Amino acid sequence: MDKPAFPTFPRNFSWGVSTAAYQIEGAVAEDGRGPSSWDAFVAQPGRVVNGDTGEVACDHYHRYREDTALMKDLGIDAYRFSFSWPRIQPGGRGAVNAAGLGFYDKLVDGLLEAGITPAPTLFHWDTPLELEEAGGWLNRDTAERFAEYAGIVGGHFADRIPQWITINEPVVLTMLGYGAGIQAPGLALGFEALPAAHHLLLAHGLGVQALRSAGAGNIGIANNHAATWPASEHEEDLQAAGLYDNIANWIFADPILTGAYPPELEPFLPPVPDADLAVISTPIDWYGINSYNPTLVGAPTAGEAALVDGHELDASLPFSLREIEGYPRTDFDWPVVPAAFTELLLAFKDRYGEKLPPIYITENGAAFNDGPDGEGRVRDSRRIDYTDAHLRALKAAMDAGVDVRGYFHWSLLDNFEWAVGFSQRFGLVHVDYETQKRTPKDSYHWYQELIRSNKERPAGNDEGTLS
Ligand code: FCB
């Protein structure tokens, strides 16, 4: 059978795009916003490529109407953005900044008017600086503060927001922020970072409870997951990959979905009260997976440090990350392996069975840095190929029984890509950072057609199959 022009999905499948506050908003000192861990981090020399910062970013704070119009034309069902905690509670506790909430009032009302479901994340890494300085996520109190903040935002928006995400990628904040020192707050604590993981998970559970008490429902989390491949079948590599798989994947999903940490990690974790696990496993309505590529892991390599996005990892770790050879690569040098996406989703189904709630893909996408050509057109066919292949891989997992309800592409706009600044472009829409001009790329038009073709398919062909 010929490959259909577009991957086909059930009619009620939700199509979306994702962004995050610090990556797009700018306006860091406007209308009473307090500083965050990221404002402090980017001010430290050498932390971010080219010394880039999110001070202006995509100026979305002032251009949200234009960006909403772009989303309306794109035809998406849902938009995943994040609330900036320090805009709403400048010091991370106590008094609410009405102007901060006011910005999101305008954004949310505009989305609803455009027929787009707001599906926000409460926290996408921009910890209020006062809390960071008091220990940040190493301090259990931050989880309590998060619950208070979740209750405020939930109470304000429960009547208008039909889908909620507590926290973005506890794994990346723990590993890159507190473990390897690559992202804010820039601490390189190795395994001593694991309390941050526990407090983020606790915050998630408390946040679910606070949202529900405030009348909000349809709640999930957005966690980063990657299929983990062992570097070889040798015992040392299998063991190292198994440990890494637990630290990168299952430590973040098991407690939420089963109420227990992976037993293999007990030696590394402080004693955890059962009451915490009960909070962390507060039932959620769906589970969000962010995924980009698989990880190849082997035993530590003598004298050779592993690299993550160009940064050296501590060579004393009990595993090493290896290059995946033989696949195309994005401009960020991430391997493109669509089959690993299917593999990951099937691993979730195998591991959790009946306990697995419906899944949303809360992020997936690729950095390709194509800019406008002489005619002003951005021919990013590599992003189209990446997305097409990953959607087909996703559909293959659905055909094998994984219940996936929606897909949010990362990202709507090119934006501030954390430690690599503006050097990597993930957007369906190109942003000229000098002029703030938005140019929809070829991939934007492709995604628009994909959505349209999936919505216009005749009834009775809901479960279109893929070859
Ligand atoms: C994820 C982050 C997101 C973005 C993409 C490329 O880890 O959640 O903010 O940076 O990677």
Side-chain angles (χ1 to χ4, degrees), residues 79-122:
Y79 173 40
R80 174 177 176 234
F81 61 96
S82 81
F83 289 108
S84 155
W85 184 354
R87 244 186 233 300
I88 293 174
Q89 273 186 310
R93 64 176 82 237
V96 171
N97 173 31
L101 273 183
F103 167 68
Y104 296 108
D105 274 330
K106 290 183 287 184
L107 175 65
V108 166
D109 291 347
L111 289 167
L112 292 170
E113 239 166 75
I116 299 168
T117 299
T121 311
L122 287 171

mmCIF file of all heavy atoms in Angstrom, residues 79-122:
data_model
loop_
_atom_site.group_PDB
_atom_site.id
_atom_site.type_symbol
_atom_site.label_atom_id
_atom_site.label_comp_id
_atom_site.label_asym_id
_atom_site.label_seq_id
_atom_site.Cartn_x
_atom_site.Cartn_y
_atom_site.Cartn_z
ATOM 1 N N TYR A 79 -3.203 24.433 23.215
ATOM 2 C CA TYR A 79 -1.911 25.119 23.335
ATOM 3 C C TYR A 79 -1.346 24.883 24.723
ATOM 4 O O TYR A 79 -1.964 25.219 25.726
ATOM 5 C CB TYR A 79 -2.101 26.615 23.089
ATOM 6 C CG TYR A 79 -0.865 27.474 23.339
ATOM 7 C CD1 TYR A 79 0.409 27.045 22.954
ATOM 8 C CD2 TYR A 79 -0.986 28.728 23.947
ATOM 9 C CE1 TYR A 79 1.522 27.844 23.175
ATOM 10 C CE2 TYR A 79 0.127 29.531 24.166
ATOM 11 C CZ TYR A 79 1.386 29.072 23.780
ATOM 12 O OH TYR A 79 2.497 29.863 24.013
ATOM 13 N N ARG A 80 -0.164 24.285 24.761
ATOM 14 C CA ARG A 80 0.531 24.084 26.025
ATOM 15 C C ARG A 80 1.544 25.208 26.204
ATOM 16 O O ARG A 80 2.544 25.276 25.493
ATOM 17 C CB ARG A 80 1.242 22.727 26.018
ATOM 18 C CG ARG A 80 2.087 22.541 27.240
ATOM 19 C CD ARG A 80 2.779 21.171 27.337
ATOM 20 N NE ARG A 80 3.621 21.198 28.517
ATOM 21 C CZ ARG A 80 4.915 20.918 28.549
ATOM 22 N NH1 ARG A 80 5.538 20.484 27.463
ATOM 23 N NH2 ARG A 80 5.594 21.028 29.664
ATOM 24 N N PHE A 81 1.259 26.130 27.130
ATOM 25 C CA PHE A 81 2.215 27.179 27.500
ATOM 26 C C PHE A 81 2.533 26.965 28.966
ATOM 27 O O PHE A 81 1.990 26.052 29.598
ATOM 28 C CB PHE A 81 1.600 28.572 27.268
ATOM 29 C CG PHE A 81 0.361 28.842 28.076
ATOM 30 C CD1 PHE A 81 0.424 29.525 29.290
ATOM 31 C CD2 PHE A 81 -0.883 28.398 27.633
ATOM 32 C CE1 PHE A 81 -0.729 29.766 30.038
ATOM 33 C CE2 PHE A 81 -2.034 28.639 28.373
ATOM 34 C CZ PHE A 81 -1.961 29.327 29.587
ATOM 35 N N SER A 82 3.415 27.781 29.548
ATOM 36 C CA SER A 82 3.576 27.662 31.002
ATOM 37 C C SER A 82 3.351 28.995 31.664
ATOM 38 O O SER A 82 3.645 30.054 31.094
ATOM 39 C CB SER A 82 4.940 27.074 31.385
ATOM 40 O OG SER A 82 5.958 28.043 31.358
ATOM 41 N N PHE A 83 2.788 28.925 32.867
ATOM 42 C CA PHE A 83 2.688 30.096 33.728
ATOM 43 C C PHE A 83 4.059 30.356 34.317
ATOM 44 O O PHE A 83 4.752 29.413 34.728
ATOM 45 C CB PHE A 83 1.734 29.830 34.896
ATOM 46 C CG PHE A 83 0.289 29.753 34.512
ATOM 47 C CD1 PHE A 83 -0.374 28.535 34.510
ATOM 48 C CD2 PHE A 83 -0.416 30.896 34.180
ATOM 49 C CE1 PHE A 83 -1.715 28.462 34.177
ATOM 50 C CE2 PHE A 83 -1.767 30.832 33.845
ATOM 51 C CZ PHE A 83 -2.415 29.611 33.843
ATOM 52 N N SER A 84 4.427 31.623 34.382
ATOM 53 C CA SER A 84 5.663 31.975 35.062
ATOM 54 C C SER A 84 5.327 32.185 36.540
ATOM 55 O O SER A 84 4.628 33.131 36.893
ATOM 56 C CB SER A 84 6.219 33.257 34.431
ATOM 57 O OG SER A 84 7.032 33.940 35.347
ATOM 58 N N TRP A 85 5.825 31.297 37.373
ATOM 59 C CA TRP A 85 5.558 31.379 38.820
ATOM 60 C C TRP A 85 5.974 32.746 39.366
ATOM 61 O O TRP A 85 5.193 33.407 40.059
ATOM 62 C CB TRP A 85 6.257 30.196 39.492
ATOM 63 C CG TRP A 85 6.044 30.007 40.964
ATOM 64 C CD1 TRP A 85 5.377 30.834 41.842
ATOM 65 C CD2 TRP A 85 6.502 28.892 41.733
ATOM 66 N NE1 TRP A 85 5.405 30.299 43.104
ATOM 67 C CE2 TRP A 85 6.097 29.115 43.067
ATOM 68 C CE3 TRP A 85 7.232 27.735 41.432
ATOM 69 C CZ2 TRP A 85 6.396 28.216 44.099
ATOM 70 C CZ3 TRP A 85 7.524 26.838 42.459
ATOM 71 C CH2 TRP A 85 7.117 27.075 43.773
ATOM 72 N N PRO A 86 7.205 33.253 39.027
ATOM 73 C CA PRO A 86 7.596 34.548 39.610
ATOM 74 C C PRO A 86 6.832 35.753 39.041
ATOM 75 O O PRO A 86 6.963 36.855 39.567
ATOM 76 C CB PRO A 86 9.090 34.656 39.287
ATOM 77 C CG PRO A 86 9.320 33.724 38.162
ATOM 78 C CD PRO A 86 8.312 32.617 38.298
ATOM 79 N N ARG A 87 6.046 35.561 37.999
ATOM 80 C CA ARG A 87 5.151 36.638 37.569
ATOM 81 C C ARG A 87 3.924 36.686 38.488
ATOM 82 O O ARG A 87 3.366 37.741 38.746
ATOM 83 C CB ARG A 87 4.646 36.361 36.132
ATOM 84 C CG ARG A 87 5.074 37.372 35.129
ATOM 85 C CD ARG A 87 4.447 37.151 33.774
ATOM 86 N NE ARG A 87 5.465 37.088 32.748
ATOM 87 C CZ ARG A 87 6.314 38.065 32.458
ATOM 88 N NH1 ARG A 87 6.280 39.212 33.093
ATOM 89 N NH2 ARG A 87 7.230 37.904 31.529
ATOM 90 N N ILE A 88 3.539 35.507 38.946
ATOM 91 C CA ILE A 88 2.292 35.405 39.725
ATOM 92 C C ILE A 88 2.576 35.575 41.224
ATOM 93 O O ILE A 88 1.837 36.252 41.932
ATOM 94 C CB ILE A 88 1.599 34.063 39.402
ATOM 95 C CG1 ILE A 88 1.138 34.122 37.940
ATOM 96 C CG2 ILE A 88 0.431 33.804 40.348
ATOM 97 C CD1 ILE A 88 0.565 32.839 37.400
ATOM 98 N N GLN A 89 3.649 34.960 41.690
ATOM 99 C CA GLN A 89 4.101 35.146 43.080
ATOM 100 C C GLN A 89 5.580 35.523 43.011
ATOM 101 O O GLN A 89 6.456 34.652 42.988
ATOM 102 C CB GLN A 89 3.969 33.836 43.860
ATOM 103 C CG GLN A 89 2.621 33.593 44.487
ATOM 104 C CD GLN A 89 2.665 32.349 45.353
ATOM 105 O OE1 GLN A 89 3.123 31.295 44.908
ATOM 106 N NE2 GLN A 89 2.228 32.467 46.599
ATOM 107 N N PRO A 90 5.877 36.818 42.980
ATOM 108 C CA PRO A 90 7.251 37.252 42.695
ATOM 109 C C PRO A 90 8.311 36.634 43.608
ATOM 110 O O PRO A 90 9.413 36.366 43.160
ATOM 111 C CB PRO A 90 7.172 38.767 42.860
ATOM 112 C CG PRO A 90 5.731 39.099 42.571
ATOM 113 C CD PRO A 90 4.925 37.926 43.067
ATOM 114 N N GLY A 91 7.972 36.377 44.855
ATOM 115 C CA GLY A 91 8.966 35.771 45.742
ATOM 116 C C GLY A 91 8.716 34.294 45.970
ATOM 117 O O GLY A 91 9.355 33.671 46.803
ATOM 118 N N GLY A 92 7.749 33.735 45.246
ATOM 119 C CA GLY A 92 7.472 32.305 45.372
ATOM 120 C C GLY A 92 6.597 31.944 46.554
ATOM 121 O O GLY A 92 6.335 30.776 46.794
ATOM 122 N N ARG A 93 6.168 32.934 47.303
ATOM 123 C CA ARG A 93 5.282 32.651 48.438
ATOM 124 C C ARG A 93 4.417 33.880 48.676
ATOM 125 O O ARG A 93 4.741 34.989 48.225
ATOM 126 C CB ARG A 93 6.093 32.317 49.691
ATOM 127 C CG ARG A 93 6.947 33.483 50.192
ATOM 128 C CD ARG A 93 7.676 33.150 51.499
ATOM 129 N NE ARG A 93 8.906 32.404 51.223
ATOM 130 C CZ ARG A 93 9.171 31.203 51.740
ATOM 131 N NH1 ARG A 93 8.314 30.599 52.526
ATOM 132 N NH2 ARG A 93 10.317 30.609 51.465
ATOM 133 N N GLY A 94 3.301 33.653 49.351
ATOM 134 C CA GLY A 94 2.485 34.781 49.814
ATOM 135 C C GLY A 94 1.820 35.554 48.689
ATOM 136 O O GLY A 94 1.309 34.973 47.731
ATOM 137 N N ALA A 95 1.904 36.883 48.828
ATOM 138 C CA ALA A 95 1.094 37.802 48.014
ATOM 139 C C ALA A 95 1.119 37.513 46.516
ATOM 140 O O ALA A 95 2.153 37.161 45.934
ATOM 141 C CB ALA A 95 1.575 39.228 48.255
ATOM 142 N N VAL A 96 -0.033 37.686 45.918
ATOM 143 C CA VAL A 96 -0.182 37.454 44.481
ATOM 144 C C VAL A 96 -0.011 38.772 43.737
ATOM 145 O O VAL A 96 -0.504 39.809 44.159
ATOM 146 C CB VAL A 96 -1.588 36.880 44.199
ATOM 147 C CG1 VAL A 96 -1.871 36.828 42.711
ATOM 148 C CG2 VAL A 96 -1.709 35.494 44.805
ATOM 149 N N ASN A 97 0.695 38.716 42.620
ATOM 150 C CA ASN A 97 0.874 39.898 41.780
ATOM 151 C C ASN A 97 -0.258 39.935 40.749
ATOM 152 O O ASN A 97 -0.251 39.155 39.778
ATOM 153 C CB ASN A 97 2.248 39.808 41.095
ATOM 154 C CG ASN A 97 2.454 40.909 40.075
ATOM 155 O OD1 ASN A 97 1.934 42.018 40.225
ATOM 156 N ND2 ASN A 97 3.208 40.603 39.025
ATOM 157 N N ALA A 98 -1.217 40.823 40.965
ATOM 158 C CA ALA A 98 -2.418 40.839 40.110
ATOM 159 C C ALA A 98 -2.061 41.070 38.643
ATOM 160 O O ALA A 98 -2.682 40.497 37.742
ATOM 161 C CB ALA A 98 -3.374 41.922 40.600
ATOM 162 N N ALA A 99 -1.037 41.885 38.382
ATOM 163 C CA ALA A 99 -0.678 42.163 36.987
ATOM 164 C C ALA A 99 -0.171 40.888 36.301
ATOM 165 O O ALA A 99 -0.397 40.679 35.104
ATOM 166 C CB ALA A 99 0.389 43.250 36.934
ATOM 167 N N GLY A 100 0.508 40.047 37.067
ATOM 168 C CA GLY A 100 0.999 38.786 36.502
ATOM 169 C C GLY A 100 -0.162 37.897 36.093
ATOM 170 O O GLY A 100 -0.208 37.375 34.971
ATOM 171 N N LEU A 101 -1.107 37.736 37.002
ATOM 172 C CA LEU A 101 -2.290 36.938 36.653
ATOM 173 C C LEU A 101 -3.024 37.585 35.481
ATOM 174 O O LEU A 101 -3.560 36.896 34.612
ATOM 175 C CB LEU A 101 -3.250 36.867 37.848
ATOM 176 C CG LEU A 101 -3.032 35.754 38.870
ATOM 177 C CD1 LEU A 101 -4.124 35.823 39.932
ATOM 178 C CD2 LEU A 101 -3.019 34.376 38.220
ATOM 179 N N GLY A 102 -3.014 38.921 35.462
ATOM 180 C CA GLY A 102 -3.727 39.667 34.414
ATOM 181 C C GLY A 102 -3.211 39.325 33.021
ATOM 182 O O GLY A 102 -3.981 39.228 32.065
ATOM 183 N N PHE A 103 -1.892 39.161 32.900
ATOM 184 C CA PHE A 103 -1.347 38.790 31.585
ATOM 185 C C PHE A 103 -1.949 37.459 31.123
ATOM 186 O O PHE A 103 -2.386 37.311 29.974
ATOM 187 C CB PHE A 103 0.186 38.697 31.625
ATOM 188 C CG PHE A 103 0.752 38.022 30.391
ATOM 189 C CD1 PHE A 103 0.673 38.649 29.156
ATOM 190 C CD2 PHE A 103 1.305 36.754 30.461
ATOM 191 C CE1 PHE A 103 1.151 38.025 28.000
ATOM 192 C CE2 PHE A 103 1.789 36.120 29.310
ATOM 193 C CZ PHE A 103 1.707 36.761 28.082
ATOM 194 N N TYR A 104 -1.982 36.486 32.040
ATOM 195 C CA TYR A 104 -2.501 35.171 31.647
ATOM 196 C C TYR A 104 -4.018 35.198 31.435
ATOM 197 O O TYR A 104 -4.551 34.427 30.638
ATOM 198 C CB TYR A 104 -2.063 34.105 32.658
ATOM 199 C CG TYR A 104 -0.555 33.965 32.658
ATOM 200 C CD1 TYR A 104 0.215 34.437 33.721
ATOM 201 C CD2 TYR A 104 0.106 33.425 31.554
ATOM 202 C CE1 TYR A 104 1.602 34.358 33.696
ATOM 203 C CE2 TYR A 104 1.491 33.337 31.522
ATOM 204 C CZ TYR A 104 2.232 33.807 32.593
ATOM 205 O OH TYR A 104 3.606 33.722 32.544
ATOM 206 N N ASP A 105 -4.708 36.117 32.118
ATOM 207 C CA ASP A 105 -6.142 36.294 31.840
ATOM 208 C C ASP A 105 -6.341 36.647 30.368
ATOM 209 O O ASP A 105 -7.181 36.077 29.677
ATOM 210 C CB ASP A 105 -6.713 37.454 32.677
ATOM 211 C CG ASP A 105 -7.143 37.006 34.064
ATOM 212 O OD1 ASP A 105 -7.544 35.832 34.214
ATOM 213 O OD2 ASP A 105 -7.067 37.824 35.001
ATOM 214 N N LYS A 106 -5.528 37.597 29.911
ATOM 215 C CA LYS A 106 -5.682 38.051 28.517
ATOM 216 C C LYS A 106 -5.313 36.923 27.549
ATOM 217 O O LYS A 106 -5.990 36.703 26.545
ATOM 218 C CB LYS A 106 -4.800 39.288 28.257
ATOM 219 C CG LYS A 106 -5.303 40.540 28.980
ATOM 220 C CD LYS A 106 -4.456 41.760 28.643
ATOM 221 C CE LYS A 106 -3.105 41.671 29.322
ATOM 222 N NZ LYS A 106 -2.221 42.817 29.151
ATOM 223 N N LEU A 107 -4.224 36.221 27.874
ATOM 224 C CA LEU A 107 -3.792 35.129 26.994
ATOM 225 C C LEU A 107 -4.877 34.052 26.923
ATOM 226 O O LEU A 107 -5.279 33.621 25.831
ATOM 227 C CB LEU A 107 -2.473 34.535 27.523
ATOM 228 C CG LEU A 107 -1.950 33.309 26.768
ATOM 229 C CD1 LEU A 107 -1.568 33.668 25.335
ATOM 230 C CD2 LEU A 107 -0.737 32.698 27.491
ATOM 231 N N VAL A 108 -5.344 33.624 28.089
ATOM 232 C CA VAL A 108 -6.314 32.522 28.147
ATOM 233 C C VAL A 108 -7.627 32.932 27.465
ATOM 234 O O VAL A 108 -8.190 32.174 26.668
ATOM 235 C CB VAL A 108 -6.543 32.098 29.622
ATOM 236 C CG1 VAL A 108 -7.776 31.213 29.766
ATOM 237 C CG2 VAL A 108 -5.306 31.376 30.155
ATOM 238 N N ASP A 109 -8.086 34.126 27.729
ATOM 239 C CA ASP A 109 -9.339 34.562 27.102
ATOM 240 C C ASP A 109 -9.190 34.637 25.584
ATOM 241 O O ASP A 109 -10.100 34.255 24.839
ATOM 242 C CB ASP A 109 -9.800 35.911 27.680
ATOM 243 C CG ASP A 109 -10.245 35.766 29.140
ATOM 244 O OD1 ASP A 109 -10.424 34.609 29.593
ATOM 245 O OD2 ASP A 109 -10.388 36.792 29.834
ATOM 246 N N GLY A 110 -8.039 35.100 25.129
ATOM 247 C CA GLY A 110 -7.787 35.174 23.685
ATOM 248 C C GLY A 110 -7.751 33.782 23.052
ATOM 249 O O GLY A 110 -8.249 33.575 21.944
ATOM 250 N N LEU A 111 -7.168 32.829 23.756
ATOM 251 C CA LEU A 111 -7.117 31.461 23.224
ATOM 252 C C LEU A 111 -8.531 30.905 23.107
ATOM 253 O O LEU A 111 -8.909 30.318 22.088
ATOM 254 C CB LEU A 111 -6.284 30.556 24.155
ATOM 255 C CG LEU A 111 -4.775 30.812 24.161
ATOM 256 C CD1 LEU A 111 -4.115 30.097 25.334
ATOM 257 C CD2 LEU A 111 -4.141 30.355 22.841
ATOM 258 N N LEU A 112 -9.308 31.089 24.171
ATOM 259 C CA LEU A 112 -10.674 30.548 24.164
ATOM 260 C C LEU A 112 -11.479 31.169 23.028
ATOM 261 O O LEU A 112 -12.213 30.472 22.313
ATOM 262 C CB LEU A 112 -11.348 30.781 25.522
ATOM 263 C CG LEU A 112 -10.733 29.966 26.677
ATOM 264 C CD1 LEU A 112 -11.295 30.425 28.015
ATOM 265 C CD2 LEU A 112 -10.966 28.454 26.486
ATOM 266 N N GLU A 113 -11.298 32.469 22.851
ATOM 267 C CA GLU A 113 -11.996 33.143 21.746
ATOM 268 C C GLU A 113 -11.589 32.567 20.395
ATOM 269 O O GLU A 113 -12.388 32.515 19.466
ATOM 270 C CB GLU A 113 -11.604 34.619 21.740
ATOM 271 C CG GLU A 113 -12.751 35.577 21.883
ATOM 272 C CD GLU A 113 -12.201 36.948 22.219
ATOM 273 O OE1 GLU A 113 -11.656 37.595 21.293
ATOM 274 O OE2 GLU A 113 -12.275 37.325 23.416
ATOM 275 N N ALA A 114 -10.305 32.154 20.293
ATOM 276 C CA ALA A 114 -9.795 31.599 19.030
ATOM 277 C C ALA A 114 -10.159 30.122 18.888
ATOM 278 O O ALA A 114 -9.755 29.468 17.922
ATOM 279 C CB ALA A 114 -8.284 31.788 18.965
ATOM 280 N N GLY A 115 -10.872 29.574 19.869
ATOM 281 C CA GLY A 115 -11.274 28.165 19.797
ATOM 282 C C GLY A 115 -10.154 27.207 20.156
ATOM 283 O O GLY A 115 -10.157 26.049 19.749
ATOM 284 N N ILE A 116 -9.169 27.690 20.917
ATOM 285 C CA ILE A 116 -8.023 26.853 21.284
ATOM 286 C C ILE A 116 -8.094 26.536 22.785
ATOM 287 O O ILE A 116 -8.277 27.434 23.605
ATOM 288 C CB ILE A 116 -6.703 27.586 20.973
ATOM 289 C CG1 ILE A 116 -6.608 27.876 19.473
ATOM 290 C CG2 ILE A 116 -5.507 26.775 21.456
ATOM 291 C CD1 ILE A 116 -5.489 28.839 19.098
ATOM 292 N N THR A 117 -7.937 25.265 23.117
ATOM 293 C CA THR A 117 -7.958 24.846 24.517
ATOM 294 C C THR A 117 -6.645 25.218 25.202
ATOM 295 O O THR A 117 -5.584 24.753 24.770
ATOM 296 C CB THR A 117 -8.107 23.306 24.617
ATOM 297 O OG1 THR A 117 -9.333 22.939 24.020
ATOM 298 C CG2 THR A 117 -8.061 22.825 26.052
ATOM 299 N N PRO A 118 -6.680 26.023 26.257
ATOM 300 C CA PRO A 118 -5.443 26.268 26.995
ATOM 301 C C PRO A 118 -5.095 25.025 27.823
ATOM 302 O O PRO A 118 -5.955 24.502 28.530
ATOM 303 C CB PRO A 118 -5.784 27.449 27.923
ATOM 304 C CG PRO A 118 -7.191 27.866 27.585
ATOM 305 C CD PRO A 118 -7.833 26.752 26.817
ATOM 306 N N ALA A 119 -3.865 24.537 27.697
ATOM 307 C CA ALA A 119 -3.426 23.351 28.448
ATOM 308 C C ALA A 119 -2.091 23.690 29.125
ATOM 309 O O ALA A 119 -1.039 23.208 28.717
ATOM 310 C CB ALA A 119 -3.272 22.162 27.503
ATOM 311 N N PRO A 120 -2.130 24.547 30.137
ATOM 312 C CA PRO A 120 -0.888 25.092 30.673
ATOM 313 C C PRO A 120 -0.149 24.183 31.650
ATOM 314 O O PRO A 120 -0.741 23.324 32.289
ATOM 315 C CB PRO A 120 -1.355 26.350 31.404
ATOM 316 C CG PRO A 120 -2.729 26.025 31.847
ATOM 317 C CD PRO A 120 -3.315 25.142 30.770
ATOM 318 N N THR A 121 1.146 24.447 31.742
ATOM 319 C CA THR A 121 2.012 23.846 32.753
ATOM 320 C C THR A 121 2.169 24.880 33.865
ATOM 321 O O THR A 121 2.381 26.060 33.585
ATOM 322 C CB THR A 121 3.403 23.590 32.137
ATOM 323 O OG1 THR A 121 3.243 22.927 30.888
ATOM 324 C CG2 THR A 121 4.276 22.748 33.053
ATOM 325 N N LEU A 122 2.091 24.441 35.103
ATOM 326 C CA LEU A 122 2.262 25.396 36.205
ATOM 327 C C LEU A 122 3.715 25.795 36.387
ATOM 328 O O LEU A 122 4.020 26.919 36.773
ATOM 329 C CB LEU A 122 1.745 24.789 37.513
ATOM 330 C CG LEU A 122 0.232 24.673 37.638
ATOM 331 C CD1 LEU A 122 -0.135 23.851 38.871
ATOM 332 C CD2 LEU A 122 -0.401 26.064 37.726
#
